[in-house]
Amino acid sequence: CTEKSLSHLALGGVRNVSLNLTVSNAGDDAYDTNIYLNFSREVHYINFLQREEKGISCMLVELDFLMCSVGFPFMRAQTKYHLSVLFDTSHLSGENETLLFLVHARSANPEHDSTLHDNTLELSIPLVHEVDTTITGVVTPTSFVYGNSVDRSRFLQLDDMECSFQPLNFTFQVINNGPSRLPGSTVDIRIPNRLTGNGADMFHIIDTQVSEGRGNCTWHRNPKPCTIPQDKESIFHTIFAFFTKSGRKVLDCDRPGRACLTISCSLSSQAKEEATNIDVQMLLNTEILQRDSSSVIQFVTRGHVQLDDRAVEVSTGLPEEISLVFEALHSQEPRGYVVGWIIAISLLVGILIFLLLAVLLWKMGFFRRHYREIIEAEKNRKDSDESWDWVQKSQ
């Protein structure tokens, strides 16, 4: 019989294992009893321990074969011998899913075939990659200004394209904090790619690189990186949108209905405390941003690590997901033709108000009063008063 102290073995986290064996002799004295152990060459025999001094000795015949003599020259009848065999497991690669031990007990005495079934034992310990992964990242620049008043030389123009692009650089770092080697992982990077559900794609990926060639990235390429939306709105709607610009629009892939660009990076194995960098270079089409009514557009980019099926996450509170935020700030200055239309409409409104006041005054009779008759009547009244004063003085 056997007794295993581990339900599984964490690669890199457990350096030694103890194989506890019990050998029983239910018959007569067994002469020249031996135990034979076969095991992987990735584990190394260290030593053996016995509960009581009963003449047990072990010898490593080959790197993967151990022979232990029990009770030489013979094993007493109706007795049990207990021993523990220690192995070094620090060099396990994890290519196999289990650590296998084959144990066989045999003596020089003849034994009936019906009792041979318990002379052989197969012991297996599942091998598990216990890891604690975390992901960090940065984006540059964290904000930029766009708009008609911004010099186009601040942006990037591609050959044969009229669009102005804002370069953006993302760097993600995946760290394996152990204790085991991470056999592989996948990093999914999600970037909000449209202002509206049926709008044009804003981002164009130039290149992705994984440090030291330890992985590769795939994504859906934008067939039309330079898309300039056509002005289908009236000038009055454009002017209204300028005066009613909202404060902030947040584009986040975690929100339902958001169209996102996904970059999937497959990474190779990582040793304990090893870090792998992912660099992403992309361009943002600012022509699409011009058509939005927000003064600030906030992009929330998310990165998430998914482990290989052979690995188990042992969380210690470090994040397995990260969000990077950058902002597009509108210059808040209208286009030239919008300014012209604002001036023209203001003049027109001023003239209409002046004409309206004139009509109101005319309706009230302000322009129909008989000023000449009033002036002549006032003059006659003064002449009459002067004539009356002269008559009184004559009397």
Side-chain angles (χ1 to χ4, degrees):
C1 63
T2 65
E3 183 178 334
K4 293 185 292 183
S5 59
L6 292 175
S7 60
H8 68 273
L9 189 147
L11 293 169
V14 178
R15 302 188 62 87
N16 299 326
V17 294
S18 174
L19 193 64
N20 302 321
L21 301 174
T22 300
V23 183
S24 301
N25 180 15
D28 298 331
D29 292 347
Y31 177 73
D32 193 18
T33 304
N34 293 294
I35 300 175
Y36 304 96
L37 285 88
N38 290 89
F39 45 89
S40 170
R41 286 181 174 265
E42 293 185 348
V43 299
H44 301 283
Y45 167 70
I46 299 176
N47 202 350
F48 78 95
L49 301 173
Q50 54 183 325
R51 293 185 184 179
E52 300 176 4
E53 187 62 37
K54 291 188 176 182
I56 299 177
S57 62
C58 293
M59 178 180 63
L60 188 65
V61 180
E62 296 183 11
L63 292 178
D64 57 353
F65 183 66
L66 180 69
M67 182 180 71
C68 295
S69 175
V70 180
F72 184 82
F74 55 84
M75 182 177 179
R76 295 289 184 182
Q78 306 299 322
T79 58
K80 292 183 179 181
Y81 285 44
H82 305 277
L83 74 154
S84 299
V85 186
L86 300 179
F87 293 92
D88 178 10
T89 59
S90 60
H91 301 284
L92 285 171
S93 63
E95 293 182 359
N96 298 319
E97 295 183 356
T98 59
L99 176 59
L100 185 63
F101 294 92
L102 296 178
V103 184
H104 180 70
R106 187 174 61 185
S107 69
N109 293 18
E111 187 171 351
H112 197 273
D113 292 342
S114 61
T115 62
L116 292 176
H117 66 278
D118 59 356
N119 286 21
T120 302
L121 191 62
E122 182 177 303
L123 303 175
S124 63
I125 304 176
L127 300 180
V128 176
H129 297 263
E130 289 188 349
V131 297
D132 181 17
T133 56
T134 183
I135 182 171
T136 62
V138 293
V139 56
T140 55
T142 56
S143 65
F144 65 91
V145 179
Y146 71 96
N148 293 278
S149 62
V150 180
D151 190 357
R152 291 178 65 90
S153 62
R154 297 182 56 181
F155 300 105
L156 178 65
Q157 277 79 36
L158 299 180
D159 295 339
D160 303 328
M161 293 187 184
E162 300 179 1
C163 297
S164 297
F165 295 96
Q166 171 62 46
L168 293 165
N169 296 318
F170 292 86
T171 298
F172 295 89
Q173 187 177 68
V174 180
I175 305 173
N176 174 27
N177 296 294
S180 303
R181 169 182 288 272
L182 177 61
S185 62
T186 301
V187 178
D188 290 329
I189 303 170
R190 295 179 298 151
I191 308 169
N193 200 25
R194 296 179 182 179
L195 289 176
T196 58
N198 57 352
D201 293 342
M202 294 181 289
F203 289 97
H204 174 55
I205 298 179
I206 300 297
D207 187 27
T208 61
Q209 290 185 352
V210 180
S211 59
E212 301 179 359
R214 301 177 62 87
N216 60 82
C217 300
T218 58
W219 66 90
H220 176 70
R221 298 185 181 274
N222 186 357
K224 297 180 180 179
C226 181
T227 300
I228 302 179
Q230 300 298 322
D231 287 327
K232 298 181 180 180
E233 301 172 345
S234 65
I235 183 61
F236 300 103
H237 187 279
T238 303
I239 295 174
F240 177 78
F242 169 74
F243 284 107
T244 59
K245 272 191 173 294
S246 61
R248 181 186 300 270
K249 172 183 285 188
V250 178
L251 303 180
D252 190 345
C253 290
D254 276 1
R255 298 187 177 183
R258 182 65 60 192
C260 293
L261 170 64
T262 300
I263 305 173
S264 182
C265 298
S266 299
L267 307 183
S268 59
S269 63
Q270 292 178 250
K272 179 182 178 181
E273 306 297 339
E274 186 177 20
T276 300
N277 292 340
I278 303 173
D279 296 315
V280 180
Q281 300 177 6
M282 63 175 57
L283 301 177
L284 171 59
N285 184 2
T286 60
E287 304 296 336
I288 299 178
L289 301 181
Q290 302 273 14
R291 302 314 192 260
D292 193 78
S293 61
S294 303
S295 58
V296 178
I297 303 177
Q298 188 177 81
F299 295 84
V300 181
T301 302
R302 297 188 178 274
H304 177 71
V305 181
Q306 293 181 339
L307 303 183
D308 187 278
D309 294 337
R310 295 169 292 173
V312 175
E313 182 73 28
V314 182
S315 180
T316 58
L318 297 176
E320 303 166 30
E321 181 173 328
I322 189 175
S323 60
L324 303 180
V325 179
F326 65 94
E327 295 180 334
L329 312 176
H330 195 277
S331 61
Q332 296 294 315
E333 294 188 15
R335 305 174 189 175
Y337 72 89
V338 174
V339 175
W341 273 99
I342 292 176
I343 295 174
I345 293 176
S346 299
L347 291 175
L348 179 61
V349 171
I351 294 173
L352 291 176
I353 293 176
F354 175 77
L355 293 176
L356 179 62
L357 291 175
V359 171
L360 290 176
L361 291 175
W362 180 75
K363 288 292 186 180
M364 294 172 62
F366 181 78
F367 299 107
R368 291 182 295 180
R369 297 177 64 180
H370 303 285
Y371 292 101
R372 181 175 296 178
E373 290 80 354
I374 295 174
I375 294 173
E376 291 180 354
E378 183 67 21
K379 182 178 180 182
N380 292 334
R381 187 182 64 78
K382 291 182 178 180
D383 292 342
S384 176
D385 292 342
E386 291 177 357
S387 299
W388 178 254
D389 292 339
W390 181 79
V391 170
Q392 288 181 344
K393 290 177 181 179
S394 299
Q395 292 179 352

